[in-house]
Amino acid sequence: MTTASIEFEIPSKFPAESVFKVFKNFPDLAPKVNPQVFKSIELVEGDGGVGSIRLFTFGNDVPFTSGKFKHDVIDVNTFTFNFTFLEGDCLLGILDSINHHVKIVHSADGGCVFKQAVIYNCKGDEKPSAEVLNFEKELYVNTYNAIEAYAAANPKAAY
């Protein structure tokens, strides 16, 4: 199986514990802060924990409409989230799945670093283009920044 991947890191002035708590609320916050990308994120199976499945309905700023993902890991001790997109047109017709690995690590200044790796598992030899990978990387970075800004301005609403 062929793969493609992107990775990025975003430093934050907020502690790892706080960023982790906010991102546990991603399904509620993303449509609020970035509705042109995320119309809705609905729980379709499970209780929201590991093994749960969510349906993403994407907005007008992305070239696909939907995708289902499964929570693989939610670890409050290591501030880790892993999830896998399993179906939908977000797989671009060329992917079996997309694995997301998020880890939030402490930094020496009392803040943290948000790290995300995305692995695109291809059905065959065809991979997403560099243009698609760059678009998605920018989308993830912009969404992170929007959620962090929202949480800073609305701390009670973000948790």
Side-chain angles (χ1 to χ4, degrees):
M1 175 171 27
T2 304
T3 62
S5 63
I6 56 173
E7 295 183 14
F8 61 90
E9 296 183 2
I10 304 171
S12 174
K13 66 181 180 181
F14 298 102
E17 296 85 354
S18 297
V19 172
F20 183 79
K21 285 180 186 176
V22 168
F23 273 83
K24 278 178 52 179
N25 288 329
F26 183 91
D28 295 326
L29 295 177
K32 287 180 186 174
V33 303
N34 205 351
Q36 62 277 20
V37 173
F38 304 100
K39 274 189 183 175
S40 66
I41 303 172
E42 303 170 48
L43 183 65
V44 294
E45 185 178 315
D47 61 4
V50 172
S52 295
I53 296 176
R54 293 191 183 267
L55 173 65
F56 275 54
T57 302
F58 295 102
N60 296 331
D61 282 2
V62 293
F64 32 82
T65 60
S66 67
K68 279 189 181 176
F69 86 82
K70 179 179 179 182
H71 290 282
D72 300 316
V73 174
I74 303 172
D75 189 327
V76 298
N77 296 313
T78 62
F79 308 124
T80 303
F81 295 101
N82 294 347
F83 54 95
T84 302
F85 276 94
L86 302 167
E87 64 182 70
D89 62 347
C90 66
L91 298 177
L92 308 173
I94 62 169
L95 303 171
D96 281 325
S97 62
I98 306 170
N99 302 106
H100 292 256
H101 304 276
V102 174
K103 183 153 182 76
I104 302 162
V105 297
H106 296 282
S107 58
D109 64 0
C112 69
V113 178
F114 180 93
K115 299 180 177 189
Q116 185 165 353
V118 183
I119 301 166
Y120 300 81
N121 301 299
C122 306
K123 290 180 180 180
D125 292 333
E126 185 179 2
K127 295 181 180 184
S129 68
E131 181 180 87
V132 167
L133 297 176
N134 289 333
F135 170 81
E136 291 211 352
K137 184 176 182 177
E138 184 178 322
L139 180 148
Y140 299 135
V141 169
N142 290 343
T143 300
Y144 173 88
N145 289 331
I147 288 175
E148 184 176 270
Y150 179 85
N154 303 283
K156 291 183 181 177
Y159 293 100

PDB file of all heavy atoms in Angstrom, residues 10-24 76 78-79 81 103-114 144 148 151-152 155 159:
ATOM      1  N   ILE A  10       2.384  23.398  15.993  1.00  0.00           N
ATOM      2  CA  ILE A  10       1.967  24.763  16.290  1.00  0.00           C
ATOM      3  C   ILE A  10       2.250  25.045  17.759  1.00  0.00           C
ATOM      4  O   ILE A  10       1.669  24.398  18.635  1.00  0.00           O
ATOM      5  CB  ILE A  10       0.459  24.971  16.009  1.00  0.00           C
ATOM      6  CG1 ILE A  10       0.123  24.603  14.564  1.00  0.00           C
ATOM      7  CG2 ILE A  10       0.056  26.411  16.331  1.00  0.00           C
ATOM      8  CD1 ILE A  10      -1.364  24.568  14.275  1.00  0.00           C
ATOM      9  N   PRO A  11       3.144  25.991  18.054  1.00  0.00           N
ATOM     10  CA  PRO A  11       3.381  26.345  19.452  1.00  0.00           C
ATOM     11  C   PRO A  11       2.197  27.121  20.014  1.00  0.00           C
ATOM     12  O   PRO A  11       1.525  27.867  19.292  1.00  0.00           O
ATOM     13  CB  PRO A  11       4.638  27.210  19.406  1.00  0.00           C
ATOM     14  CG  PRO A  11       4.742  27.686  18.001  1.00  0.00           C
ATOM     15  CD  PRO A  11       3.989  26.732  17.131  1.00  0.00           C
ATOM     16  N   SER A  12       1.937  26.920  21.300  1.00  0.00           N
ATOM     17  CA  SER A  12       0.840  27.613  21.965  1.00  0.00           C
ATOM     18  C   SER A  12       1.323  28.152  23.303  1.00  0.00           C
ATOM     19  O   SER A  12       2.136  27.514  23.973  1.00  0.00           O
ATOM     20  CB  SER A  12      -0.326  26.643  22.199  1.00  0.00           C
ATOM     21  OG  SER A  12      -1.334  27.267  22.970  1.00  0.00           O
ATOM     22  N   LYS A  13       0.787  29.286  23.695  1.00  0.00           N
ATOM     23  CA  LYS A  13       1.130  29.839  25.011  1.00  0.00           C
ATOM     24  C   LYS A  13       0.326  29.164  26.120  1.00  0.00           C
ATOM     25  O   LYS A  13       0.610  29.342  27.294  1.00  0.00           O
ATOM     26  CB  LYS A  13       0.887  31.348  25.022  1.00  0.00           C
ATOM     27  CG  LYS A  13      -0.572  31.751  24.871  1.00  0.00           C
ATOM     28  CD  LYS A  13      -0.731  33.259  24.862  1.00  0.00           C
ATOM     29  CE  LYS A  13      -2.193  33.630  24.703  1.00  0.00           C
ATOM     30  NZ  LYS A  13      -2.394  35.077  24.666  1.00  0.00           N
ATOM     31  N   PHE A  14      -0.676  28.373  25.736  1.00  0.00           N
ATOM     32  CA  PHE A  14      -1.534  27.714  26.712  1.00  0.00           C
ATOM     33  C   PHE A  14      -0.959  26.369  27.126  1.00  0.00           C
ATOM     34  O   PHE A  14      -0.306  25.686  26.325  1.00  0.00           O
ATOM     35  CB  PHE A  14      -2.942  27.538  26.141  1.00  0.00           C
ATOM     36  CG  PHE A  14      -3.605  28.845  25.820  1.00  0.00           C
ATOM     37  CD1 PHE A  14      -3.669  29.294  24.514  1.00  0.00           C
ATOM     38  CD2 PHE A  14      -4.119  29.636  26.827  1.00  0.00           C
ATOM     39  CE1 PHE A  14      -4.253  30.510  24.221  1.00  0.00           C
ATOM     40  CE2 PHE A  14      -4.705  30.856  26.546  1.00  0.00           C
ATOM     41  CZ  PHE A  14      -4.775  31.298  25.235  1.00  0.00           C
ATOM     42  N   PRO A  15      -1.203  25.939  28.379  1.00  0.00           N
ATOM     43  CA  PRO A  15      -0.691  24.650  28.833  1.00  0.00           C
ATOM     44  C   PRO A  15      -1.314  23.477  28.067  1.00  0.00           C
ATOM     45  O   PRO A  15      -2.451  23.567  27.588  1.00  0.00           O
ATOM     46  CB  PRO A  15      -1.074  24.584  30.309  1.00  0.00           C
ATOM     47  CG  PRO A  15      -1.767  25.845  30.644  1.00  0.00           C
ATOM     48  CD  PRO A  15      -1.931  26.658  29.407  1.00  0.00           C
ATOM     49  N   ALA A  16      -0.571  22.385  27.998  1.00  0.00           N
ATOM     50  CA  ALA A  16      -1.025  21.200  27.266  1.00  0.00           C
ATOM     51  C   ALA A  16      -2.388  20.704  27.762  1.00  0.00           C
ATOM     52  O   ALA A  16      -3.241  20.326  26.958  1.00  0.00           O
ATOM     53  CB  ALA A  16       0.014  20.083  27.379  1.00  0.00           C
ATOM     54  N   GLU A  17      -2.598  20.728  29.063  1.00  0.00           N
ATOM     55  CA  GLU A  17      -3.868  20.264  29.625  1.00  0.00           C
ATOM     56  C   GLU A  17      -5.045  21.063  29.071  1.00  0.00           C
ATOM     57  O   GLU A  17      -6.090  20.509  28.742  1.00  0.00           O
ATOM     58  CB  GLU A  17      -3.867  20.364  31.161  1.00  0.00           C
ATOM     59  CG  GLU A  17      -2.855  19.493  31.838  1.00  0.00           C
ATOM     60  CD  GLU A  17      -1.451  20.115  31.945  1.00  0.00           C
ATOM     61  OE1 GLU A  17      -1.209  21.225  31.387  1.00  0.00           O
ATOM     62  OE2 GLU A  17      -0.589  19.470  32.559  1.00  0.00           O
ATOM     63  N   SER A  18      -4.867  22.379  28.980  1.00  0.00           N
ATOM     64  CA  SER A  18      -5.940  23.248  28.484  1.00  0.00           C
ATOM     65  C   SER A  18      -6.214  23.005  27.006  1.00  0.00           C
ATOM     66  O   SER A  18      -7.373  22.922  26.583  1.00  0.00           O
ATOM     67  CB  SER A  18      -5.584  24.715  28.705  1.00  0.00           C
ATOM     68  OG  SER A  18      -5.465  24.984  30.081  1.00  0.00           O
ATOM     69  N   VAL A  19      -5.162  22.896  26.213  1.00  0.00           N
ATOM     70  CA  VAL A  19      -5.334  22.671  24.773  1.00  0.00           C
ATOM     71  C   VAL A  19      -6.003  21.316  24.536  1.00  0.00           C
ATOM     72  O   VAL A  19      -6.908  21.185  23.707  1.00  0.00           O
ATOM     73  CB  VAL A  19      -3.985  22.782  24.030  1.00  0.00           C
ATOM     74  CG1 VAL A  19      -4.122  22.363  22.573  1.00  0.00           C
ATOM     75  CG2 VAL A  19      -3.462  24.213  24.124  1.00  0.00           C
ATOM     76  N   PHE A  20      -5.610  20.302  25.301  1.00  0.00           N
ATOM     77  CA  PHE A  20      -6.222  18.979  25.169  1.00  0.00           C
ATOM     78  C   PHE A  20      -7.720  19.054  25.479  1.00  0.00           C
ATOM     79  O   PHE A  20      -8.547  18.518  24.741  1.00  0.00           O
ATOM     80  CB  PHE A  20      -5.530  17.974  26.086  1.00  0.00           C
ATOM     81  CG  PHE A  20      -6.057  16.576  25.953  1.00  0.00           C
ATOM     82  CD1 PHE A  20      -5.667  15.767  24.892  1.00  0.00           C
ATOM     83  CD2 PHE A  20      -6.949  16.064  26.876  1.00  0.00           C
ATOM     84  CE1 PHE A  20      -6.155  14.472  24.766  1.00  0.00           C
ATOM     85  CE2 PHE A  20      -7.439  14.780  26.756  1.00  0.00           C
ATOM     86  CZ  PHE A  20      -7.046  13.984  25.697  1.00  0.00           C
ATOM     87  N   LYS A  21      -8.084  19.727  26.567  1.00  0.00           N
ATOM     88  CA  LYS A  21      -9.503  19.859  26.934  1.00  0.00           C
ATOM     89  C   LYS A  21     -10.306  20.546  25.835  1.00  0.00           C
ATOM     90  O   LYS A  21     -11.413  20.135  25.513  1.00  0.00           O
ATOM     91  CB  LYS A  21      -9.649  20.638  28.246  1.00  0.00           C
ATOM     92  CG  LYS A  21      -9.291  19.852  29.464  1.00  0.00           C
ATOM     93  CD  LYS A  21      -9.458  20.707  30.706  1.00  0.00           C
ATOM     94  CE  LYS A  21      -8.965  19.995  31.934  1.00  0.00           C
ATOM     95  NZ  LYS A  21      -9.043  20.857  33.129  1.00  0.00           N
ATOM     96  N   VAL A  22      -9.742  21.591  25.278  1.00  0.00           N
ATOM     97  CA  VAL A  22     -10.436  22.311  24.207  1.00  0.00           C
ATOM     98  C   VAL A  22     -10.615  21.402  22.996  1.00  0.00           C
ATOM     99  O   VAL A  22     -11.701  21.330  22.417  1.00  0.00           O
ATOM    100  CB  VAL A  22      -9.681  23.605  23.832  1.00  0.00           C
ATOM    101  CG1 VAL A  22     -10.218  24.197  22.536  1.00  0.00           C
ATOM    102  CG2 VAL A  22      -9.794  24.611  24.963  1.00  0.00           C
ATOM    103  N   PHE A  23      -9.568  20.677  22.617  1.00  0.00           N
ATOM    104  CA  PHE A  23      -9.668  19.849  21.413  1.00  0.00           C
ATOM    105  C   PHE A  23     -10.509  18.599  21.615  1.00  0.00           C
ATOM    106  O   PHE A  23     -10.953  18.006  20.633  1.00  0.00           O
ATOM    107  CB  PHE A  23      -8.286  19.567  20.813  1.00  0.00           C
ATOM    108  CG  PHE A  23      -7.917  20.672  19.891  1.00  0.00           C
ATOM    109  CD1 PHE A  23      -7.365  21.839  20.367  1.00  0.00           C
ATOM    110  CD2 PHE A  23      -8.239  20.608  18.548  1.00  0.00           C
ATOM    111  CE1 PHE A  23      -7.107  22.902  19.543  1.00  0.00           C
ATOM    112  CE2 PHE A  23      -7.987  21.661  17.704  1.00  0.00           C
ATOM    113  CZ  PHE A  23      -7.414  22.805  18.193  1.00  0.00           C
ATOM    114  N   LYS A  24     -10.776  18.236  22.853  1.00  0.00           N
ATOM    115  CA  LYS A  24     -11.756  17.167  23.071  1.00  0.00           C
ATOM    116  C   LYS A  24     -13.134  17.638  22.604  1.00  0.00           C
ATOM    117  O   LYS A  24     -13.987  16.835  22.276  1.00  0.00           O
ATOM    118  CB  LYS A  24     -11.799  16.757  24.550  1.00  0.00           C
ATOM    119  CG  LYS A  24     -10.688  15.794  24.914  1.00  0.00           C
ATOM    120  CD  LYS A  24     -10.684  15.408  26.376  1.00  0.00           C
ATOM    121  CE  LYS A  24     -11.995  14.905  26.870  1.00  0.00           C
ATOM    122  NZ  LYS A  24     -11.970  14.499  28.290  1.00  0.00           N
ATOM    123  N   VAL A  76      -5.930  10.861  27.961  1.00  0.00           N
ATOM    124  CA  VAL A  76      -5.816  12.072  28.777  1.00  0.00           C
ATOM    125  C   VAL A  76      -4.470  12.166  29.490  1.00  0.00           C
ATOM    126  O   VAL A  76      -4.087  13.250  29.922  1.00  0.00           O
ATOM    127  CB  VAL A  76      -6.974  12.182  29.794  1.00  0.00           C
ATOM    128  CG1 VAL A  76      -8.315  12.286  29.091  1.00  0.00           C
ATOM    129  CG2 VAL A  76      -6.975  11.024  30.767  1.00  0.00           C
ATOM    130  N   THR A  78      -1.428  11.212  28.100  1.00  0.00           N
ATOM    131  CA  THR A  78      -0.382  11.602  27.150  1.00  0.00           C
ATOM    132  C   THR A  78      -0.840  12.707  26.207  1.00  0.00           C
ATOM    133  O   THR A  78      -0.093  13.092  25.303  1.00  0.00           O
ATOM    134  CB  THR A  78       0.076  10.395  26.318  1.00  0.00           C
ATOM    135  OG1 THR A  78      -1.033   9.899  25.564  1.00  0.00           O
ATOM    136  CG2 THR A  78       0.651   9.304  27.203  1.00  0.00           C
ATOM    137  N   PHE A  79      -2.063  13.211  26.412  1.00  0.00           N
ATOM    138  CA  PHE A  79      -2.635  14.269  25.567  1.00  0.00           C
ATOM    139  C   PHE A  79      -2.574  13.879  24.097  1.00  0.00           C
ATOM    140  O   PHE A  79      -2.085  14.628  23.248  1.00  0.00           O
ATOM    141  CB  PHE A  79      -1.950  15.615  25.805  1.00  0.00           C
ATOM    142  CG  PHE A  79      -1.891  16.022  27.244  1.00  0.00           C
ATOM    143  CD1 PHE A  79      -0.683  16.322  27.849  1.00  0.00           C
ATOM    144  CD2 PHE A  79      -3.044  16.094  28.011  1.00  0.00           C
ATOM    145  CE1 PHE A  79      -0.630  16.692  29.184  1.00  0.00           C
ATOM    146  CE2 PHE A  79      -2.998  16.463  29.344  1.00  0.00           C
ATOM    147  CZ  PHE A  79      -1.784  16.764  29.935  1.00  0.00           C
ATOM    148  N   PHE A  81      -4.672  12.174  20.682  1.00  0.00           N
ATOM    149  CA  PHE A  81      -5.880  11.803  19.947  1.00  0.00           C
ATOM    150  C   PHE A  81      -5.433  11.112  18.670  1.00  0.00           C
ATOM    151  O   PHE A  81      -4.565  11.639  17.968  1.00  0.00           O
ATOM    152  CB  PHE A  81      -6.670  13.031  19.458  1.00  0.00           C
ATOM    153  CG  PHE A  81      -7.262  13.907  20.504  1.00  0.00           C
ATOM    154  CD1 PHE A  81      -6.646  15.098  20.853  1.00  0.00           C
ATOM    155  CD2 PHE A  81      -8.463  13.575  21.099  1.00  0.00           C
ATOM    156  CE1 PHE A  81      -7.206  15.937  21.785  1.00  0.00           C
ATOM    157  CE2 PHE A  81      -9.029  14.420  22.036  1.00  0.00           C
ATOM    158  CZ  PHE A  81      -8.401  15.599  22.390  1.00  0.00           C
ATOM    159  N   LYS A 103      -0.766  14.886  19.038  1.00  0.00           N
ATOM    160  CA  LYS A 103      -0.130  14.828  20.345  1.00  0.00           C
ATOM    161  C   LYS A 103       0.161  16.254  20.783  1.00  0.00           C
ATOM    162  O   LYS A 103       0.684  17.053  20.010  1.00  0.00           O
ATOM    163  CB  LYS A 103       1.148  14.011  20.304  1.00  0.00           C
ATOM    164  CG  LYS A 103       1.806  13.877  21.663  1.00  0.00           C
ATOM    165  CD  LYS A 103       2.630  12.627  21.754  1.00  0.00           C
ATOM    166  CE  LYS A 103       3.261  12.450  23.115  1.00  0.00           C
ATOM    167  NZ  LYS A 103       2.369  12.007  24.136  1.00  0.00           N
ATOM    168  N   ILE A 104      -0.183  16.540  22.013  1.00  0.00           N
ATOM    169  CA  ILE A 104       0.047  17.866  22.580  1.00  0.00           C
ATOM    170  C   ILE A 104       1.115  17.691  23.656  1.00  0.00           C
ATOM    171  O   ILE A 104       0.924  16.917  24.604  1.00  0.00           O
ATOM    172  CB  ILE A 104      -1.260  18.450  23.151  1.00  0.00           C
ATOM    173  CG1 ILE A 104      -2.322  18.510  22.035  1.00  0.00           C
ATOM    174  CG2 ILE A 104      -1.010  19.821  23.762  1.00  0.00           C
ATOM    175  CD1 ILE A 104      -3.743  18.653  22.525  1.00  0.00           C
ATOM    176  N   VAL A 105       2.244  18.368  23.489  1.00  0.00           N
ATOM    177  CA  VAL A 105       3.370  18.190  24.409  1.00  0.00           C
ATOM    178  C   VAL A 105       3.684  19.494  25.133  1.00  0.00           C
ATOM    179  O   VAL A 105       3.519  20.588  24.587  1.00  0.00           O
ATOM    180  CB  VAL A 105       4.624  17.662  23.675  1.00  0.00           C
ATOM    181  CG1 VAL A 105       4.370  16.289  23.078  1.00  0.00           C
ATOM    182  CG2 VAL A 105       5.086  18.611  22.602  1.00  0.00           C
ATOM    183  N   HIS A 106       4.124  19.342  26.376  1.00  0.00           N
ATOM    184  CA  HIS A 106       4.526  20.500  27.172  1.00  0.00           C
ATOM    185  C   HIS A 106       5.734  21.172  26.536  1.00  0.00           C
ATOM    186  O   HIS A 106       6.578  20.516  25.937  1.00  0.00           O
ATOM    187  CB  HIS A 106       4.901  20.059  28.592  1.00  0.00           C
ATOM    188  CG  HIS A 106       3.772  19.486  29.371  1.00  0.00           C
ATOM    189  ND1 HIS A 106       2.806  20.253  29.963  1.00  0.00           N
ATOM    190  CD2 HIS A 106       3.453  18.192  29.653  1.00  0.00           C
ATOM    191  CE1 HIS A 106       1.926  19.469  30.584  1.00  0.00           C
ATOM    192  NE2 HIS A 106       2.297  18.211  30.406  1.00  0.00           N
ATOM    193  N   SER A 107       5.811  22.490  26.686  1.00  0.00           N
ATOM    194  CA  SER A 107       7.011  23.207  26.273  1.00  0.00           C
ATOM    195  C   SER A 107       7.612  23.886  27.497  1.00  0.00           C
ATOM    196  O   SER A 107       6.938  24.080  28.510  1.00  0.00           O
ATOM    197  CB  SER A 107       6.709  24.218  25.156  1.00  0.00           C
ATOM    198  OG  SER A 107       5.732  25.142  25.563  1.00  0.00           O
ATOM    199  N   ALA A 108       8.881  24.233  27.412  1.00  0.00           N
ATOM    200  CA  ALA A 108       9.625  24.773  28.553  1.00  0.00           C
ATOM    201  C   ALA A 108       9.057  26.096  29.072  1.00  0.00           C
ATOM    202  O   ALA A 108       9.227  26.422  30.252  1.00  0.00           O
ATOM    203  CB  ALA A 108      11.093  24.947  28.177  1.00  0.00           C
ATOM    204  N   ASP A 109       8.366  26.838  28.224  1.00  0.00           N
ATOM    205  CA  ASP A 109       7.849  28.150  28.621  1.00  0.00           C
ATOM    206  C   ASP A 109       6.493  28.083  29.325  1.00  0.00           C
ATOM    207  O   ASP A 109       5.876  29.107  29.584  1.00  0.00           O
ATOM    208  CB  ASP A 109       7.775  29.078  27.416  1.00  0.00           C
ATOM    209  CG  ASP A 109       6.791  28.595  26.354  1.00  0.00           C
ATOM    210  OD1 ASP A 109       6.143  27.542  26.532  1.00  0.00           O
ATOM    211  OD2 ASP A 109       6.674  29.282  25.319  1.00  0.00           O
ATOM    212  N   GLY A 110       6.015  26.863  29.627  1.00  0.00           N
ATOM    213  CA  GLY A 110       4.721  26.702  30.279  1.00  0.00           C
ATOM    214  C   GLY A 110       3.578  26.509  29.306  1.00  0.00           C
ATOM    215  O   GLY A 110       2.472  26.194  29.702  1.00  0.00           O
ATOM    216  N   GLY A 111       3.842  26.710  28.046  1.00  0.00           N
ATOM    217  CA  GLY A 111       2.845  26.467  27.011  1.00  0.00           C
ATOM    218  C   GLY A 111       2.945  25.033  26.513  1.00  0.00           C
ATOM    219  O   GLY A 111       3.288  24.119  27.269  1.00  0.00           O
ATOM    220  N   CYS A 112       2.666  24.851  25.239  1.00  0.00           N
ATOM    221  CA  CYS A 112       2.728  23.512  24.668  1.00  0.00           C
ATOM    222  C   CYS A 112       2.963  23.607  23.165  1.00  0.00           C
ATOM    223  O   CYS A 112       3.007  24.696  22.596  1.00  0.00           O
ATOM    224  CB  CYS A 112       1.448  22.738  24.958  1.00  0.00           C
ATOM    225  SG  CYS A 112      -0.018  23.343  24.100  1.00  0.00           S
ATOM    226  N   VAL A 113       3.112  22.445  22.556  1.00  0.00           N
ATOM    227  CA  VAL A 113       3.197  22.344  21.111  1.00  0.00           C
ATOM    228  C   VAL A 113       2.145  21.341  20.661  1.00  0.00           C
ATOM    229  O   VAL A 113       2.088  20.210  21.178  1.00  0.00           O
ATOM    230  CB  VAL A 113       4.599  21.902  20.639  1.00  0.00           C
ATOM    231  CG1 VAL A 113       4.640  21.772  19.119  1.00  0.00           C
ATOM    232  CG2 VAL A 113       5.661  22.879  21.134  1.00  0.00           C
ATOM    233  N   PHE A 114       1.302  21.758  19.747  1.00  0.00           N
ATOM    234  CA  PHE A 114       0.283  20.902  19.137  1.00  0.00           C
ATOM    235  C   PHE A 114       0.933  20.274  17.918  1.00  0.00           C
ATOM    236  O   PHE A 114       1.374  20.983  17.011  1.00  0.00           O
ATOM    237  CB  PHE A 114      -0.922  21.759  18.736  1.00  0.00           C
ATOM    238  CG  PHE A 114      -2.046  21.005  18.094  1.00  0.00           C
ATOM    239  CD1 PHE A 114      -3.092  20.515  18.854  1.00  0.00           C
ATOM    240  CD2 PHE A 114      -2.077  20.803  16.722  1.00  0.00           C
ATOM    241  CE1 PHE A 114      -4.145  19.832  18.257  1.00  0.00           C
ATOM    242  CE2 PHE A 114      -3.118  20.120  16.119  1.00  0.00           C
ATOM    243  CZ  PHE A 114      -4.154  19.631  16.896  1.00  0.00           C
ATOM    244  N   TYR A 144      -6.958  24.930  13.756  1.00  0.00           N
ATOM    245  CA  TYR A 144      -6.352  24.967  15.091  1.00  0.00           C
ATOM    246  C   TYR A 144      -6.315  26.400  15.608  1.00  0.00           C
ATOM    247  O   TYR A 144      -6.724  26.679  16.738  1.00  0.00           O
ATOM    248  CB  TYR A 144      -4.930  24.376  15.097  1.00  0.00           C
ATOM    249  CG  TYR A 144      -4.283  24.602  16.442  1.00  0.00           C
ATOM    250  CD1 TYR A 144      -4.455  23.681  17.464  1.00  0.00           C
ATOM    251  CD2 TYR A 144      -3.575  25.774  16.722  1.00  0.00           C
ATOM    252  CE1 TYR A 144      -3.927  23.914  18.723  1.00  0.00           C
ATOM    253  CE2 TYR A 144      -3.053  26.016  17.975  1.00  0.00           C
ATOM    254  CZ  TYR A 144      -3.222  25.087  18.974  1.00  0.00           C
ATOM    255  OH  TYR A 144      -2.722  25.332  20.221  1.00  0.00           O
ATOM    256  N   GLU A 148      -8.190  27.815  18.938  1.00  0.00           N
ATOM    257  CA  GLU A 148      -7.431  28.393  20.057  1.00  0.00           C
ATOM    258  C   GLU A 148      -7.882  29.829  20.330  1.00  0.00           C
ATOM    259  O   GLU A 148      -8.061  30.219  21.487  1.00  0.00           O
ATOM    260  CB  GLU A 148      -5.936  28.352  19.785  1.00  0.00           C
ATOM    261  CG  GLU A 148      -5.142  28.850  20.984  1.00  0.00           C
ATOM    262  CD  GLU A 148      -3.650  28.733  20.808  1.00  0.00           C
ATOM    263  OE1 GLU A 148      -3.093  27.678  21.176  1.00  0.00           O
ATOM    264  OE2 GLU A 148      -3.044  29.708  20.309  1.00  0.00           O
ATOM    265  N   ALA A 151     -11.250  29.704  22.068  1.00  0.00           N
ATOM    266  CA  ALA A 151     -11.121  29.271  23.461  1.00  0.00           C
ATOM    267  C   ALA A 151     -10.555  30.381  24.341  1.00  0.00           C
ATOM    268  O   ALA A 151     -10.985  30.557  25.479  1.00  0.00           O
ATOM    269  CB  ALA A 151     -10.240  28.026  23.535  1.00  0.00           C
ATOM    270  N   ALA A 152      -9.596  31.145  23.814  1.00  0.00           N
ATOM    271  CA  ALA A 152      -9.024  32.254  24.581  1.00  0.00           C
ATOM    272  C   ALA A 152     -10.061  33.329  24.846  1.00  0.00           C
ATOM    273  O   ALA A 152     -10.117  33.903  25.930  1.00  0.00           O
ATOM    274  CB  ALA A 152      -7.833  32.839  23.840  1.00  0.00           C
ATOM    275  N   PRO A 155     -13.452  31.255  27.317  1.00  0.00           N
ATOM    276  CA  PRO A 155     -12.951  30.091  28.037  1.00  0.00           C
ATOM    277  C   PRO A 155     -14.047  29.196  28.619  1.00  0.00           C
ATOM    278  O   PRO A 155     -13.902  27.978  28.622  1.00  0.00           O
ATOM    279  CB  PRO A 155     -12.071  30.689  29.137  1.00  0.00           C
ATOM    280  CG  PRO A 155     -12.358  32.142  29.165  1.00  0.00           C
ATOM    281  CD  PRO A 155     -12.968  32.511  27.860  1.00  0.00           C
ATOM    282  N   TYR A 159     -14.774  24.764  27.063  1.00  0.00           N
ATOM    283  CA  TYR A 159     -14.466  23.539  27.796  1.00  0.00           C
ATOM    284  C   TYR A 159     -15.653  22.657  27.963  1.00  0.00           C
ATOM    285  O   TYR A 159     -16.618  22.662  28.324  1.00  0.00           O
ATOM    286  CB  TYR A 159     -13.838  23.853  29.150  1.00  0.00           C
ATOM    287  CG  TYR A 159     -12.479  24.477  28.997  1.00  0.00           C
ATOM    288  CD1 TYR A 159     -12.311  25.849  29.121  1.00  0.00           C
ATOM    289  CD2 TYR A 159     -11.380  23.703  28.686  1.00  0.00           C
ATOM    290  CE1 TYR A 159     -11.056  26.419  28.987  1.00  0.00           C
ATOM    291  CE2 TYR A 159     -10.129  24.284  28.544  1.00  0.00           C
ATOM    292  CZ  TYR A 159      -9.982  25.630  28.698  1.00  0.00           C
ATOM    293  OH  TYR A 159      -8.758  26.203  28.558  1.00  0.00           O
TER     294      TYR A 159
END
